[in-house]
């Protein structure tokens, strides 16, 4: 009679001849056990030994990952700093423990070579090893899976229309230049999982702005697509491994912008490839350095220099007028107009070409339109470069009050205070960022900065449907400009282009700034000035105003 295993009693003796033993009676092998103990101890001790020899990860973070390592934690001095100390210590040690470089490199190699996957979250590998970034959901916005709402499109149109009308009232032309992302120009290289599913945000944006006949919108996509016909294996309109256009793409974009401007700004023809000499370089726009694996990704990199004589332009030059520490290009040619260019990183490559069209060009790296800069610089045209991926996170600034005097009057007439002043003889509570020295005095809060140190203002909240004006009572050591940074979600909460830049003069003054809609909760960060020295914040106040 047959019995299966389940029919035997768990307490029955094993059948005769069976070699089954209880789990706790297996033969011991002391040599194997000691080997496991030694291996385990080596895994724990080796990183500490390597770290003690100075072979941690800090050098690779700076040279290969191209970022600043987390600073050493400061000893806690109060309850708040004690709460932050464990996380700061963890961040510091995580970037310096022994074998960090080797382990990270091995992980990146395995993901790239064995599984053909990206080891960096926001960098996506496309076809033919082209690289794309999905930062701020750029690829999702391009494929049509994150469309604008009708309300968002209306807000954009009304915001840009108000901006154009205010500039026109002062005799200033306005041009909005829409720069397509690499995914819109090289659609065949986009990863398969990001293929188009509907209208992109860029297409929705352009369609909405077509309702405003008098709004000059320069769409660069047709010119860049046409230029693609001249691509070669090592020469493209955009960098295959980066996100920006190449020198050739910027040159073509410059010509398209100049030709679209009103005739009075076309005092000379735009530069062409025949005017330029190509020089090769390395270390340009390349995401592959984040992979910590060399050899697989390659691209040609070059830049243009004038081949002959052209009108002199000097970055950072001056012709006797204050430039408030803004990058300024001055031309020796007469009869040209003046420009203010508001741009992001795509402007780096195009500025030398665009500057040739104007007698004076000031540029500011921001996405927030600053009427105060316009009033100080007196340009003949304002050009804003919008790259389509910024439409994934940037909110339109619904400014209804533009002039500084009108801002002051609206502020003084308001009774709704969001951030109250500290009062005579007291000082605002400012917190230094990244080591900025802050100290209270009887006159206010002193900020010692090298031109890059910033502080956070006392926190307060406002909503997107409120028109809010911030009044800042400040003393500055030189003519320069300050920046107000608004908090964003993500690792880098304060970005240069998500800021409002305001010119300030030497001595004490009160400036009034219209705040854009809030993007994320948190305090506003203030860079008091681009010129190094001591600044004094005497008071700060915020009110809701009625346009």
């Amino acid at each position: 009679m047959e019995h299966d295993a389940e029919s035997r009693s768990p307490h029955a003796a094993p059948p005769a001849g069976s070699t089954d033993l209880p789990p706790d009676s297996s033969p011991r092998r002391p040599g194997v056990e000691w080997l496991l103990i030694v291996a385990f101890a080596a895994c724990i001790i080796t990183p500490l030994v390597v770290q003690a020899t100075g072979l941690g990860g800090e050098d690779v973070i700076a040279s290969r990952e191209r970022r600043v390592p987390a600073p050493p934690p400061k000893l806690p001095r109060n309850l708040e700093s004690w709460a932050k100390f464990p996380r700061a210590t963890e961040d510091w040690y995580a970037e310096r423990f022994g074998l960090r470089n080797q382990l990270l490199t091995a992980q990146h190699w395995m993901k790239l070579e064995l599984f053909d996957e990206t080891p960096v979250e926001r960098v996506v590998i496309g076809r033919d090893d082209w690289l794309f970034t999905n930062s701020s959901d750029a690829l999702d916005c391009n494929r049509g899976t994150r469309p604008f709402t009708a309300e968002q499109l209306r807000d954009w149109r009304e915001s840009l229309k108000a901006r154009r009308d205010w500039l026109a009232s002062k005799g200033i032309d306005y041009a909005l230049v829409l720069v397509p992302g690499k995914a819109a120009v090289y659609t065949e290289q986009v990863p398969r999982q990001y293929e188009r599913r509907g209208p992109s945000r860029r297409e929705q944006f352009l369609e909405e702005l077509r309702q405003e006949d008098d709004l000059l919108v320069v769409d660069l996509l047709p010119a860049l697509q046409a230029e693609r016909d001249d691509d070669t294996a090592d020469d493209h309109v955009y960098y295959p491994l980066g996100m920006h256009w190449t020198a050739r793409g910027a040159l073509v974009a410059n010509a398209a912008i100049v030709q679209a401007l009103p005739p009075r700004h076309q005092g000379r023809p735009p530069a062409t490839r025949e005017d330029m000499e190509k020089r090769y370089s390395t270390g340009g726009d390349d995401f592959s350095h984040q992979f910590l694996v060399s050899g697989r990704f390659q691209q040609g990199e070059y830049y243009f220099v004038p081949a002959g004589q052209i009108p002199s332009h000097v970055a950072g030059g001056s012709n006797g007028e204050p430039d408030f520490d803004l990058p300024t290009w001055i031309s020796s040619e007469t009869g040209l107009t003046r420009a203010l260019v508001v741009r992001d990183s795509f402007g780096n490559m195009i500025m030398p070409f665009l500057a040739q069209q104007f007698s004076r060009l000031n540029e500011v790296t921001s996405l927030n339109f600053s009427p105060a800069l316009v009033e100080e610089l007196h340009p003949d045209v304002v050009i804003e470069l919008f790259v389509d991926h910024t439409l994934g996170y940037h909110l339109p600034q619904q400014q209804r009050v533009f002039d500084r005097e009108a801002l002051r009057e609206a502020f003084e007439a308001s009774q709704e205070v969001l951030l109250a002043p500290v009062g005579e003889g007291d000082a605002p509570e400012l917190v230094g960022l990244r080591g900025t020295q802050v100290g209270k005095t009887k006159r206010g809060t002193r900020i010692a900065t090298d031109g890059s140190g910033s502080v956070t203002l006392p926190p307060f909240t406002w909503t997107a449907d409120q028109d809010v004006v911030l009044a800042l009572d400040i003393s500055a050591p030189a003519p320069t400009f300050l920046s107000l940074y608004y908090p964003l979600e993500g690792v880098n909460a304060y970005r240069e282009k998500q800021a409002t830049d305001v010119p300030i003069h030497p001595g004490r003054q009160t400036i009034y700034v219209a705040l854009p809609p809030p993007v994320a909760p948190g305090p506003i960060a203030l860079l008091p000035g681009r010129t190094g020295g001591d600044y004094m914040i005497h008071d700060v106040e915020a009110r809701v105003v009625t346009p």
Side-chain angles (χ1 to χ4, degrees), residues 370-447:
S370 173
L373 280 176
V374 174
E375 290 181 307
E376 288 284 0
L377 299 173
H378 310 292
D380 299 303
V381 60
V382 172
I383 301 172
E384 287 197 271
L385 257 64
F386 267 30
V387 184
D388 65 8
H389 64 253
T390 62
L391 298 174
Y393 64 87
H394 185 50
L395 297 177
Q397 188 170 356
Q398 293 286 1
Q399 287 172 295
R400 299 174 180 83
V401 180
F402 287 88
D403 297 272
R404 283 176 290 186
E405 184 61 23
L407 282 175
R408 182 189 64 79
E409 293 175 353
F411 180 87
E412 292 177 350
S414 173
Q415 301 298 316
E416 188 175 349
V417 177
L418 294 179
L419 176 64
V422 296
E424 191 67 29
D426 204 350
E429 291 288 345
L430 308 179
V431 178
L433 294 175
R434 295 184 294 274
T436 302
Q437 297 299 313
V438 178
K440 286 189 175 184
T441 72
K442 293 181 179 180
R443 297 180 57 235
T445 303
R446 177 183 288 112
I447 305 171

Side-chain angles (χ1 to χ4, degrees), residues 446-451 477 528-535:
R446 177 183 288 112
I447 305 171
T449 175
D450 60 358
R530 297 286 174 167
T531 298
D534 287 350
Y535 295 78

Side-chain angles (χ1 to χ4, degrees), residues 254-304:
N254 175 71
I257 294 171
V258 173
Q259 292 162 4
L261 292 175
R264 69 170 176 148
H265 306 298
Q266 300 181 17
R268 64 187 314 271
T272 64
R273 292 179 68 175
E274 287 70 29
D275 302 322
M276 298 292 158
E277 177 183 331
K278 181 187 290 187
R279 295 184 182 177
Y280 287 90
S281 62
T282 58
D285 194 24
D286 185 350
F287 287 134
S288 67
H289 72 266
Q290 300 180 40
F291 292 158
L292 306 182
V293 175
S294 60
R296 170 170 170 174
F297 299 92
Q298 304 288 335
Q299 70 179 3
E301 297 178 17
Y302 64 90
Y303 60 97
F304 284 142

Side-chain angles (χ1 to χ4, degrees), residues 94-114:
E95 296 186 344
R96 290 165 178 82
F97 70 87
L99 298 181
R100 174 189 181 276
N101 303 346
Q102 293 80 357
L103 292 172
L104 274 179
T105 300
Q107 180 202 42
H108 283 209
W109 183 88
M110 286 189 292
K111 284 191 172 184
L112 284 170
E113 301 300 335
L114 300 183

